[in-house]
């Protein structure tokens, strides 16, 4: 397995719309393993392929406290979302050390393929529902900070640019 590099906002590649996976083969299964290792090491609870500069519809998530319940979503689509919304504080591996409140449907039903290529549906609520929506946003080229005001977005961009300059 290989730890992958995570793109950092405002990298324009984060705005690339991911293409559907045509076939769940060994290459995709290896991508899933590498993404899971990267997510766990970061540490995070979700990672979309877009974040590691692979523009295919693959997401890995593990919201368990024990960090041993990996869920894989290939070509995910939300087939139902609750009319009720909830505000959650979100963070993102592509926007390090930045957290803010985002309003999303509090429950969703997602249809996807697993790493064997089998179709499944899952009803999700609470943190899992938020994480699925957050990671699917990445597949559509959207980063959670884009839900925030333009002022907050500019502050975040400036903060991350400054941090990057300090590292160089």
């Amino acid at each position: 397995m290989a730890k992958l590099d995570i793109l950092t906002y405002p990298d324009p590649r984060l705005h690339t719309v991911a293409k559907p996976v045509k076939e769940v083969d060994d290459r995709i299964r290896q991508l899933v393993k590498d993404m899971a290792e990267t997510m766990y090491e970061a540490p995070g609870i979700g990672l979309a392929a877009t974040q590691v500069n692979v523009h295919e519809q693959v997401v890995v998530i593990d919201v368990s406290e024990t960090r041993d319940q990996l869920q894989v979503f290939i070509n995910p689509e939300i087939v139902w979302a609750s009319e009720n919304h909830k505000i959650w504080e979100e963070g993102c591996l592509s926007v390090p050390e930045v957290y803010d409140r985002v309003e999303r449907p509090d429950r969703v039903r997602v249809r996807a393929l697993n790493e064997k290529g089998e179709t499944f549906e899952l009803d999700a609520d609470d943190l899992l529902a938020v994480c699925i929506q957050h990671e699917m946003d990445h597949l559509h080229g959207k980063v959670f900070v884009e839900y925030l005001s333009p002022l907050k977005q500019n502050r975040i961009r400036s903060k991350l640019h400054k941090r990057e300059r300090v590292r160089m």
Side-chain angles (χ1 to χ4, degrees):
M1 289 195 283
K3 184 173 180 288
L4 305 170
D5 291 328
I6 298 172
L7 301 177
T8 305
Y9 179 82
D11 190 311
R13 294 172 290 181
L14 288 168
H15 297 293
T16 305
V17 176
K19 298 196 178 339
V21 171
K22 289 187 167 105
E23 179 185 1
V24 180
D25 55 15
D26 288 342
R27 180 184 66 83
I28 294 297
R29 284 186 279 279
Q30 186 61 51
L31 174 63
V32 165
K33 288 177 186 172
D34 293 345
M35 287 174 59
E37 178 182 338
T38 302
M39 175 190 71
Y40 286 128
E41 192 172 307
I45 61 170
L47 187 66
T50 301
Q51 293 176 269
V52 294
N53 203 27
V54 176
H55 303 288
E56 294 181 85
Q57 295 180 10
V58 179
V59 167
V60 295
I61 293 175
D62 188 343
V63 296
S64 71
E65 290 189 24
T66 52
R67 309 205 26 87
D68 61 356
Q69 296 175 31
L70 183 68
Q71 294 179 284
V72 176
F73 301 86
I74 299 169
N75 298 340
E77 60 177 311
I78 292 176
V79 295
W80 174 84
S82 168
E83 291 181 14
N84 297 327
H85 287 78
K86 189 169 185 178
I87 296 174
W88 286 81
E89 182 153 289
E90 295 187 26
C92 182
L93 295 175
S94 291
V95 192
E97 299 174 28
V98 173
Y99 301 88
D100 215 315
R101 297 161 50 93
V102 176
E103 182 177 339
R104 298 185 184 272
D106 66 352
R107 293 180 297 134
V108 296
R109 179 175 298 126
V110 63
R111 180 183 302 132
L113 301 174
N114 64 21
E115 62 271 23
K116 296 176 185 172
E118 302 163 336
T119 301
F120 70 96
E121 282 194 13
L122 175 74
D123 288 333
D125 60 8
D126 297 326
L127 183 56
L128 180 57
V130 169
C131 195
I132 288 169
Q133 293 171 82
H134 177 109
E135 300 308 332
M136 285 183 64
D137 276 351
H138 281 298
L139 299 180
H140 297 118
K142 187 169 185 172
V143 180
F144 91 98
V145 297
E146 293 168 32
Y147 287 100
L148 307 177
S149 71
L151 177 64
K152 282 187 176 182
Q153 289 180 48
N154 286 334
R155 284 183 181 159
I156 291 166
R157 248 187 245 103
S158 296
K159 178 180 178 180
L160 294 176
H161 280 306
K162 185 184 227 178
R163 186 180 302 145
E164 195 60 34
R165 282 194 305 272
V166 168
R167 283 189 199 153
M168 295 178 149

